[in-house]
Amino acid sequence: MSILKIARIGHPVLLKKTHELKDIGSEKIKKIVYDMSETMIDSNGIGLAAPQVHLSQRLFIFRNPDIEENEEIQITALINPIVQNLSDDTNEAWEGCLSIPGMLGLVRRYSKIKYSGYDLKGNMISNTAEGLHARVVQHEFDHLNGILYTSRLTHKDAFGYADEIEHYWKKNEEK
Ligand code: NI
């Protein structure tokens, strides 16, 4: 396995619409997913999409954020995914992205979603998700369509360096 270079905002690969994968279940895709997993863990991320490692393909991985702290990390790979909202309910939260290191932005997402796609073996998988799990899947799915969270900010000023956001925004939210 190896750690891959992560594309940062400004790189055109992050703005391109991606291609469907045809060789699902192949050794090549397994290797990509293993390398992406190692890269995500190394960077302490909770999700990573193929365009972020310079591959314009419809594939992303994410950690299940619902598991307890002492449980083993579970990583799901989703190939050629489909994501749908299950209701019109939305919520706002601060998001980061490994392609926009050190920054956070306030983004509105659907609260409850359904997703499906293929796993590494080529089996169809589907699941529902709420809360952070739903947010991560929507964020990664956006990457496959060349969309970064910076184009989904709830308002244009709700973006900045994580420590400034913690200091000037999150403190006020807690009041
Ligand atoms: Ni991202």
Side-chain angles (χ1 to χ4, degrees):
M1 294 204 287
S2 41
I3 292 170
L4 306 169
K5 188 175 181 197
I6 297 177
R8 292 179 306 164
I9 186 167
H11 194 299
V13 73
L14 295 171
L15 302 176
K16 271 172 43 179
K17 199 159 160 33
T18 52
H19 304 284
E20 292 232 324
L21 284 151
K22 297 204 172 70
D23 46 351
I24 303 167
S26 70
E27 287 303 313
K28 193 179 144 206
I29 292 179
K30 275 183 201 156
K31 170 143 182 19
I32 291 170
V33 168
Y34 293 147
D35 287 349
M36 283 176 66
S37 301
E38 197 179 11
T39 306
M40 179 179 75
I41 290 166
D42 176 67
S43 323
N44 215 9
I46 51 173
L48 187 68
Q52 294 183 274
V53 291
H54 307 85
L55 298 166
S56 211
Q57 311 277 5
R58 300 193 75 75
L59 154 71
F60 61 76
I61 62 169
F62 58 95
R63 291 191 202 196
N64 184 345
D66 297 331
I67 60 163
E68 301 294 323
E69 232 173 72
N70 53 0
E71 283 181 73
E72 209 180 314
I73 296 171
Q74 291 172 8
I75 297 175
T76 302
L78 207 57
I79 299 165
N80 297 342
I82 296 171
V83 177
Q84 294 168 287
N85 54 308
L86 290 174
S87 81
D88 291 331
D89 292 347
T90 59
N91 67 89
E92 279 180 9
W94 292 94
E95 276 183 25
C97 179
L98 294 177
S99 294
I100 314 171
M103 316 291 281
L104 293 175
L106 191 62
V107 182
R108 180 166 288 282
R109 301 278 186 192
Y110 288 111
S111 302
K112 207 172 172 193
I113 60 154
K114 181 175 122 178
Y115 62 86
S116 60
Y118 295 93
D119 69 9
L120 270 189
K121 291 175 188 154
N123 300 316
M124 182 74 150
I125 49 172
S126 68
N127 205 354
T128 58
E130 291 180 63
L132 180 58
H133 187 180
R135 175 170 294 275
V136 173
V137 170
Q138 289 170 86
H139 175 116
E140 300 313 327
F141 188 70
D142 264 354
H143 275 298
L144 305 188
N145 296 321
I147 299 167
L148 297 172
Y149 77 73
T150 43
S151 60
R152 290 203 188 276
L153 298 174
T154 53
H155 41 106
K156 65 174 173 40
D157 298 334
F159 174 68
Y161 287 100
D163 52 350
E164 304 291 10
I165 298 294
E166 295 286 344
H167 193 84
Y168 294 103
W169 292 71
K170 291 198 180 179
K171 267 189 190 166
N172 290 334
E173 283 168 12
E174 282 160 18
K175 275 177 198 159

